[in-house]
Amino acid sequence: DLNVLRHELAELKKDTSVTQQYQMDLLKDIEMIPAQVISNSVRQRDNLITINVGSNDGVEPEMGVISGTGVVGIVSKVTPHYALVLSVLNSRSSISCRLRGTEYFGYMKWNGGNPLQVSMDDVPRHAKPRIGDIVETNGFSSMFPPGIFLGRVAQIHNSEDGLAYSLEIQMSTDIAHVQNVCVLKYHMKEELDSLRKE
């Protein structure tokens, strides 16, 4: 329910930031299933989250999961009343992303360690990333619409071959403390999946 997410976003930060307002506007036409986190891990290599909604609520594998501050993960398995979510803090997680305002894209991956930092590799040098740049979903994935907040560039490193940059991203969502989430029923998913199968 959109009103539930709006309420959660407002409660999360009474002083709603421009980015959160932008995210709310992006989601206004997307059906969402509100859920609560009932178990969560952040100290493993492959962290998982369990939420209290399942197939009886319309949840299916490969649906995106967000909080009021950004991306949380992707539904992996469902039962009638619960769903297992592949957290962004999982070695198998790879979220398609871009630098906001550009067409330069990459994949957000967690390399272990700090649960608030992920990386975005193979960013072209001519992208000219800067500390503080916003990183968001780019819409190439069928799980998330474009523009969902992921975090901000915290550090910029040269790639091993020196031909590109590797960016350290300070995540917008503290996965360790996330409690209320929404599963996205992103209707473009069916169309994109169908096209890709053909």
Side-chain angles (χ1 to χ4, degrees), residues 82-103:
Y82 300 98
L84 195 61
V85 177
L86 196 71
S87 166
V88 293
L89 304 180
N90 190 300
S91 67
R92 292 175 290 154
S93 175
S94 181
I95 308 288
S96 187
C97 60
R98 69 183 174 202
L99 295 170
R100 179 170 289 173
T102 75
E103 295 306 313

Side-chain angles (χ1 to χ4, degrees), residues 42 44-45 47 89-91 109-115 117-118:
V42 295
Q44 311 299 318
R45 183 75 182 115
N47 294 291
L89 304 180
N90 190 300
S91 67
K109 289 195 70 74
W110 184 60
N111 300 313
N114 187 341
Q117 286 201 324
V118 292

Side-chain angles (χ1 to χ4, degrees), residues 26-27 30 66 71 96 98 136-149 184 186 188:
L26 284 171
L27 296 169
I30 296 175
I66 64 166
V71 171
S96 187
R98 69 183 174 202
E136 64 186 11
T137 56
N138 62 9
F140 290 3
S141 151
S142 59
M143 290 111 180
F144 300 101
I148 302 297
F149 194 36
L184 300 182
Y186 184 40
M188 298 301 286

Side-chain angles (χ1 to χ4, degrees), residues 5-85:
L5 182 64
R6 281 197 173 123
H7 175 72
E8 287 172 0
L9 287 168
E11 286 299 311
L12 196 70
K13 289 224 174 155
K14 294 286 187 188
D15 182 20
T16 305
S17 71
V18 171
T19 295
Q20 286 170 318
Q21 186 61 50
Y22 179 71
Q23 181 165 302
M24 286 168 60
D25 290 344
L26 284 171
L27 296 169
K28 70 181 187 302
D29 295 324
I30 296 175
E31 188 181 343
M32 290 174 282
I33 303 164
Q36 289 187 319
V37 171
I38 58 171
S39 73
N40 184 7
S41 65
V42 295
R43 301 188 193 285
Q44 311 299 318
R45 183 75 182 115
D46 293 315
N47 294 291
L48 299 168
I49 297 169
T50 305
I51 56 177
N52 67 346
V53 292
S55 56
N56 284 358
D57 305 286
V59 177
E60 298 173 7
E62 298 190 9
M63 285 182 165
V65 180
I66 64 166
S67 72
T69 53
V71 171
V72 171
I74 296 168
V75 174
S76 173
K77 295 179 181 174
V78 295
T79 64
H81 303 103
Y82 300 98
L84 195 61
V85 177

Side-chain angles (χ1 to χ4, degrees), residues 169-194:
I169 311 300
Q170 184 74 20
M171 286 200 341
S172 58
T173 302
D174 183 352
I175 300 296
H177 296 102
V178 74
Q179 294 178 333
N180 298 307
V181 297
C182 282
V183 182
L184 300 182
K185 294 195 79 172
Y186 184 40
H187 296 296
M188 298 301 286
K189 173 175 168 35
E190 293 170 19
E191 188 174 335
L192 283 166
D193 288 349
S194 170

